[in-house]
Amino acid sequence: MSKANVRRHILEKNRSPREKEPKPTQSLLSKHLKKVYPIGLHRSSSSLSLSSLSLSLSQNSNDSSVTDNSNSPLEQRISLALRLITPPERREVTVAKNVQPQQQQQQQQQQSQDSCCGELKRCNWITKNSDKVYVAFHDECWGVPVYDDNQLFELLALSGMLMDYNWTEILKRKELFRDAFGGFDPKSVAKMGEKEILEISSNTAIMLAECRVRCIVDNAKCIMKILNEFGSFSSFMWGYVNFKPMINKFKYPRNVPLRSPKAEAISRDLLKRGFRLVGPVIVYSFMQAAGLTIDHLVDCFRYSECVSLAERPWRHI
């Protein structure tokens, strides 16, 4: 062999390893890409396509790292980067974000349907079987602050009748009570004698016992004494709550009490002054009806209306 051929043979041996070096790198990279990116990229209008794609990539990269024990450092770095970029919680968060607006839309649609049908959210003790008179009393009177002496006297007398009847039965005969007791004017009621008392108690339409009639007459006489001392029955009663209604935030009917410490204090004071049928339960019912305390449930449509009336400055004095 000549010297030229020997040199050529040596150069070919030296070149062949160098020329073959890029080929294994290319094959290794293609093999890695097949493992890490086994799916194709497609355009999608879904908001979850990107998150689901990244999640599947991270899962496939994890599976490849488990099955292949001879991972290169490059494969380990890429799989670690995918874990950091796309955590598993990403898909759950996006789904939750999409569910919340749907729930809000459903609630808004339900509220709009109720308003369109004319159904208002009332306190739970107002049902479909409730009498119209009682519903009107709840919607228009109950919880509205009252500052008129005659109206306060009327509500105190009607609350005392709860010993024998319920609100529906009392409200149905309210006009009869007004005619019998002269519009609940304390001055005229205080002047009633035996003849008037017997006439009212014997009226079968009113159905009020004689002892109840006498209690109302005696309370009117006590109110006359309060008028001489405080100027008005209204200022006397509102003084117990510092001339501002007590606003409660009850969510359920079981939270509404039958009596309160304030009602017990008022009851003791009224009994000392000679009033009758003014126990703590009756006094608290009177406070609810006269708006001295706001006991509408917070989800009732009347709650915000009565609260706005209660927050007005007291100008009765």
Side-chain angles (χ1 to χ4, degrees):
M1 186 181 293
S2 63
K3 294 182 180 180
N5 292 332
V6 171
R7 290 178 181 176
R8 188 179 302 169
H9 182 69
I10 294 171
L11 289 174
E12 288 178 356
K13 287 183 177 180
N14 294 334
R15 286 177 183 177
S16 58
R18 294 178 183 176
E19 293 174 355
K20 293 179 181 179
E21 284 179 359
K23 294 181 180 180
T25 304
Q26 294 177 359
S27 63
L28 178 62
L29 183 59
S30 62
K31 179 181 178 182
H32 173 72
L33 290 175
K34 289 180 181 179
K35 291 180 180 180
V36 178
Y37 303 103
I39 59 176
L41 298 177
H42 301 282
R43 290 186 179 180
S44 175
S45 60
S46 174
S47 61
L48 297 177
S49 59
L50 182 57
S51 61
S52 60
L53 176 62
S54 61
L55 184 61
S56 61
L57 290 178
S58 62
Q59 291 175 350
N60 289 325
S61 63
N62 293 335
D63 296 339
S64 64
S65 62
V66 173
T67 55
D68 192 358
N69 296 327
S70 60
N71 288 337
S72 65
L74 179 60
E75 290 177 335
Q76 295 177 358
R77 291 178 182 178
I78 292 176
S79 62
L80 179 61
L82 287 172
R83 291 193 194 100
L84 296 175
I85 294 173
T86 59
E89 295 81 5
R90 181 174 180 179
R91 186 175 182 180
E92 296 177 359
V93 172
T94 54
V95 172
K97 288 181 179 179
N98 293 331
V99 169
Q100 290 179 356
Q102 292 178 358
Q103 293 178 351
Q104 293 178 357
Q105 291 178 359
Q106 292 177 357
Q107 292 177 356
Q108 291 177 357
Q109 290 177 358
Q110 186 176 1
Q111 291 177 357
S112 62
Q113 289 177 359
D114 293 342
S115 60
C116 291
C117 296
E119 295 181 359
L120 297 173
K121 180 64 177 178
R122 294 181 173 90
C123 297
N124 290 4
W125 50 83
I126 302 296
T127 63
K128 294 180 179 179
N129 298 326
S130 298
D131 194 275
K132 294 181 180 180
V133 176
Y134 186 50
V135 176
F137 177 67
H138 168 273
D139 294 350
E140 300 171 6
C141 304
W142 198 74
V144 176
V146 177
Y147 304 106
D148 183 72
D149 287 354
N150 295 0
Q151 293 180 7
L152 288 172
F153 178 39
E154 177 183 351
L155 290 175
L156 183 61
L158 298 181
S159 299
M161 297 178 191
L162 291 171
M163 292 287 293
D164 304 315
Y165 306 104
N166 56 39
W167 271 118
T168 301
E169 296 171 340
I170 294 171
L171 294 171
K172 286 182 176 180
R173 300 195 297 270
K174 184 173 65 174
E175 294 300 328
L176 297 176
F177 294 142
R178 286 179 177 176
D179 294 338
F181 292 100
F184 287 97
D185 183 8
K187 296 179 180 180
S188 60
V189 176
K191 296 178 181 179
M192 284 185 177
E194 289 293 326
K195 183 179 179 180
E196 290 84 357
I197 294 174
L198 294 176
E199 287 179 357
I200 295 173
S201 60
S202 61
N203 191 335
T204 57
I206 295 178
M207 293 189 298
L208 197 61
E210 181 181 344
C211 60
R212 305 304 187 202
V213 178
R214 293 187 182 277
C215 288
I216 295 174
V217 174
D218 292 342
N219 290 343
K221 295 177 181 179
C222 294
I223 290 176
M224 294 303 300
K225 296 179 182 178
I226 290 175
L227 293 177
N228 296 330
E229 183 178 355
F230 294 91
S232 68
F233 184 55
S234 177
S235 59
F236 170 74
M237 293 304 305
W238 281 97
Y240 286 111
V241 292
N242 295 325
F243 305 99
K244 187 176 181 180
M246 303 170 62
I247 302 174
N248 297 312
K249 297 180 180 180
F250 299 129
K251 294 182 179 181
Y252 307 102
R254 63 177 180 270
N255 301 135
V256 182
L258 293 176
R259 56 198 292 175
S260 68
K262 180 64 70 175
E264 292 175 356
I266 297 174
S267 175
R268 287 193 298 267
D269 191 14
L270 293 178
L271 288 173
K272 290 180 182 179
R273 294 179 177 273
F275 282 82
R276 301 171 63 183
L277 285 178
V278 287
V281 177
I282 291 177
V283 170
Y284 194 73
S285 298
F286 162 73
M287 293 174 64
Q288 291 174 323
L292 276 76
T293 179
I294 308 300
D295 279 1
H296 282 282
L297 301 183
V298 292
D299 58 351
C300 177
F301 83 100
R302 286 292 293 167
Y303 178 79
S304 59
E305 297 176 0
C306 291
V307 168
S308 63
L309 293 174
E311 291 178 347
R312 295 183 305 175
W314 200 80
R315 300 178 180 178
H316 182 67
I317 299 178

